[in-house]
Amino acid sequence: MRVLKFGGTSLANAQRFNQVADIVINNQQQSQIALVLSAPAGVTNNLVAVVEKTSNGLSADSHLFDIQRIFSELIKGLKSTYSELADDLLKTFFERELAHLTDLLEGVRLLSQCPPSIEAQILSKGELLSIACMKQLLIAKGHNVEVIKPQQKLMSKKGGYLEAHIDIEASRALFAKEGLIKNVIYLMPGFTAGNAKGETLVLGRNGSDYSAAVLAACLNAKCCEIWTDVDGVYSCDPRLVKDAKLLDSLSYAEAMELSYFGAKVLHPKTIAPIAQYHIPCLIKNTHNPQAPGTLIGAQQSNEELQVKGISDLKNLTMISISGAGMKGIVGMAGRIFSTVSRAGVSIILITQSSSEYSLSFCISSPDCDKTVDALQEEFSLEFENNLLEPIELVKERAIISLVGDGMEKAKGIAARFLTALTGASINITAIAQGSSERSISVVVSEKKAQEAVIACHQKFFASVQYIDMFLIGCGGVGGALVDQVHRQQARLAERNIQIRVCGVANSRVMLMDAKGIELDNWRDLLKDATHPLSLSKMQALVNDSHIINPVIVDCTSNDAIAARYVDFLGAGFHVVTANKKANTSSMDYYRQLRLTALMKRRKFLYDTNVGAGLPVIENMQNLFNAGDQLLKFNGILSGSLSFIFGKLDEGKSFSEVTTEARNMGFTEPDPRDDLSGTDVARKLLILAREAGMDISLEDVEIEQALPPGFDDTGTPDEFMARLPEADAYFKALQEKANEKNQVLRYIGSIVDGKCKCSIQAVDADDPMNKVKDGENALAFYSQYYQPIPLVLRGYGAGTEVTAAGIFADVLRTLNWKQEF
Ligand code: ADP
Ligand code: ASP
Ligand code: MG
């Protein structure tokens, strides 16, 4: 004998009923089958709504109509496949049940409430009708069937009418009284049980799994098969994590913990009966019957996994009781728990502070009022005498649990668990570990439950790590970045990394897509976008889509955007920027940025601020973290000035090379932006601040790359026309330098705590001497690097190298620790 149970998702319509019937018939050839069915998908939800609405004096017609529609379409569909189907019998049965339902509801309407005994009768109707349909279908297919009435066989002694708990021994005795008839398929409505008075009870939502387990125990079945809409039990809810891992097997204890802590695939009460009678349980997919499924049994799993699954249980409230009256008083915990138990409320998780000063526990939120009332009454004297503080409620909580038999022997699991949550910026309200060490649970905000599962799954199952990028500024560098991401996606996928570009904004509009913008034609898509850039829209998208690693990338040079980084970090985004404005604004803002990043556990990365793609900032941070100190710095920090001054070596005139640089696009459209030295000053300031100096842009001494007092007014073209007037000045400087075998370079320097940008004549052996043609060079003279400095040299500008530098920063967001 085997028990097969099919859930509502497997019974959604006539086609599915047929599929189920065929699976049963195929299986029947191997051994006799007892079939347990749920109500078709949606029916029980409608019945729950019918009770609620009618109790509140509201019309439940739309829900009744839905139920009617589901069954009449079902009967019609079955009849069209099997003309032999006794649809008249079914229709009459259905009408009779509907009339009974209407009578019960009339009573509910008059009373303005629904007694639990009546509610149980109403809720169980879906299963009853499922069985009636399946019975006629199997008969039409030429099989003998027998219906088991759970009201008469599955005996309950506790749990009331709505959460009945079955007395297995009593039920087994009832089954044992009557032998089994050979060659029939047994059918039993799930979710339903009875009591000594013969009344109808239900087993709690999702309870048909439990019905099947109990029936398997009563019939000494060889196996209990739970057929659903997924291939088996996964490492976490497959709706949440696309690459959730399908588990071959689970121990009874693991399955029990996972379902207790919220894995919907199994009702938590399912495991106890089958574990007690050592019945293996197989989870199978109705839509994919060939798949082997997940085996739950006494066996030790052959999977190497220490953590088997991650589950989330929502809609909880955490209640905390604290006060002087808690400390050292024997029996306080006992009184609290028996009070809650007397109120008929189940406690899901308990934590106590080691000082014994407070005790917290989680309950299902709908039970909150009656729990608080019961506690107020029990401890009224203690509250009156201030021995206990007012009861503290933290609402909208969820429990996230890691489950696995292998956790018992493993070290460091809790640390990785908490690191994963911290990395996703999730605050932990409480932690609890079962004494079996088979599960560890944390309480978090319900809003963050899905992010928590995703983050933990990434940590424990090496599943794909997502980076969700929102790009602001998609001109040269930003555009190149998107194209690089597009080209690199296959390579990153091999390393289990996926970058989704969820937002691209230019100065006018923003294009957004939580699933990632189609990168083949993002430029065209952006042309059609109409919404302006909005942080609140980006944030809403991140929240709604449960994104755990959102990154804002700023490829503008805009002050207003830089001024919003603190908001971005505060809203949970990492910030990667090529824009120098934030790091060169006030020292207060500079500090606030780092503090916010640290508090929010988000990264603020800006390696391209200096030297474009050269790894400048990261190297400096590593050096200083290791205790080094900057003594002196010299650098060529501008690609255009590197080009211009390098060309002077070849004897060309200043105006000639500046024009050449401008024509080749090496300078800004207005070359004064480069020649003014401000851009170099900003970079120098960023380096100085990185080295720990508390200075501002005004403190940087800037000499323009122009003769002193040179008239730099007018339009760019007027200025360029005037530039030959500067040639004589540079020629003279050049000749003087040549006499000493020196060359002219535009240098940013930090000496004796002073920052200066100026034209300098540098010796032949100076690290800056050979730096030209747009190259950058940075010479750090430090305690560790002297007298020979640490020199970083290479192209310090250009769209591709800058984009690649930003790309590297974007990838660094996957490691959450801030490196400063
Ligand atoms: P049925 O109608 O067959 O009883 P349920 O909806 O009650 O189906 O349970 C199956 C669903 O449970 C799956 O569709 C899946 O979304 C969800 N689920 C949650 N956690 C898990 C998990 N760890 N493994 C498999 N399914 C899970
Ligand atoms: N039909 C019931 C419910 O929806 C029982 C079940 O499907 O397991 O809760
Ligand atoms: Mg179910």
Side-chain angles (χ1 to χ4, degrees), residues 6 42 72 96 128 413 483 567 614 656 659 772:
F6 290 83
S72 52
R96 207 181 66 211
L128 196 66
I413 301 251
D483 295 336
D567 296 340
L614 296 179
E656 199 183 344
T659 309
K772 54 203 288 185

Side-chain angles (χ1 to χ4, degrees), residues 649-726:
D649 300 358
E650 296 166 18
K652 295 190 176 172
S653 75
F654 183 72
S655 59
E656 199 183 344
V657 294
T658 307
T659 309
E660 191 181 335
R662 189 188 185 208
N663 292 343
M664 291 170 79
F666 289 171
T667 64
E668 295 297 319
D670 185 345
R672 282 170 294 190
D673 291 343
D674 301 281
L675 299 174
S676 71
T678 324
D679 184 57
V680 173
R682 285 191 189 276
K683 292 174 181 167
L684 196 61
L685 174 65
I686 292 169
L687 293 175
R689 285 179 166 179
E690 210 62 56
M693 291 166 63
D694 185 348
I695 60 165
S696 297
L697 200 53
E698 306 82 66
D699 301 320
V700 181
E701 189 185 329
I702 309 173
E703 282 178 14
Q704 298 192 72
L706 286 170
F710 189 82
D711 176 7
D712 61 359
T713 55
T715 65
D717 287 339
E718 283 163 2
F719 169 76
M720 287 306 286
R722 204 179 305 122
L723 205 55
E725 292 168 23

Side-chain angles (χ1 to χ4, degrees), residues 5 206 209 264:
K5 175 259 165 177
N206 222 357
D209 301 334
K264 196 192 168 208

Side-chain angles (χ1 to χ4, degrees), residues 77-106:
L78 292 175
K79 179 72 181 172
S80 70
T81 342
Y82 282 97
S83 51
E84 301 92 328
L85 187 96
D87 61 330
D88 287 347
L89 275 181
L90 269 182
K91 280 183 197 152
T92 315
F93 182 75
F94 179 59
E95 270 152 28
R96 207 181 66 211
E97 288 305 319
L98 205 63
H100 183 222
L101 180 61
T102 316
D103 287 350
L104 293 175
L105 290 173
E106 182 55 19

Side-chain angles (χ1 to χ4, degrees), residues 195-303:
N195 59 15
K197 289 195 247 165
E199 290 174 303
T200 299
L201 321 174
V202 289
L203 304 176
R205 292 307 307 270
N206 222 357
S208 298
D209 301 334
Y210 179 38
S211 305
V214 171
L215 186 62
C218 290
L219 298 178
N220 294 318
K222 272 201 311 232
C223 185
C224 174
E225 298 183 10
I226 307 283
W227 289 71
T228 180
D229 61 346
V230 285
D231 275 347
V233 181
Y234 284 82
S235 48
C236 70
D237 189 338
R239 284 169 302 186
L240 271 188
V241 176
K242 264 201 281 163
D243 58 347
K245 187 179 179 318
L246 180 63
L247 303 169
D248 297 337
S249 62
L250 283 170
S251 68
Y252 288 127
E254 285 172 330
M256 182 112 82
E257 298 273 344
L258 268 180
S259 58
Y260 178 77
F261 284 118
K264 196 192 168 208
V265 66
L266 267 187
H267 187 278
K269 285 194 273 190
T270 313
I271 301 298
I274 52 174
Q276 189 185 346
Y277 292 94
H278 308 288
I279 300 168
C281 177
L282 198 55
I283 313 295
K284 296 272 293 175
N285 189 350
T286 313
H287 316 308
N288 184 17
Q290 311 308 328
T294 300
L295 181 66
I296 301 170
Q299 80 285 353
Q300 274 297 313
S301 151
N302 52 11
E303 279 167 294

Side-chain angles (χ1 to χ4, degrees), residues 484-499 807 811:
Q484 285 182 8
V485 168
H486 188 28
R487 284 199 301 272
Q488 198 61 11
Q489 257 162 354
R491 274 282 195 75
L492 291 173
E494 287 167 15
R495 291 170 51 200
N496 271 338
I497 296 172
Q498 192 178 338
I499 302 186
F807 199 165
L811 288 171

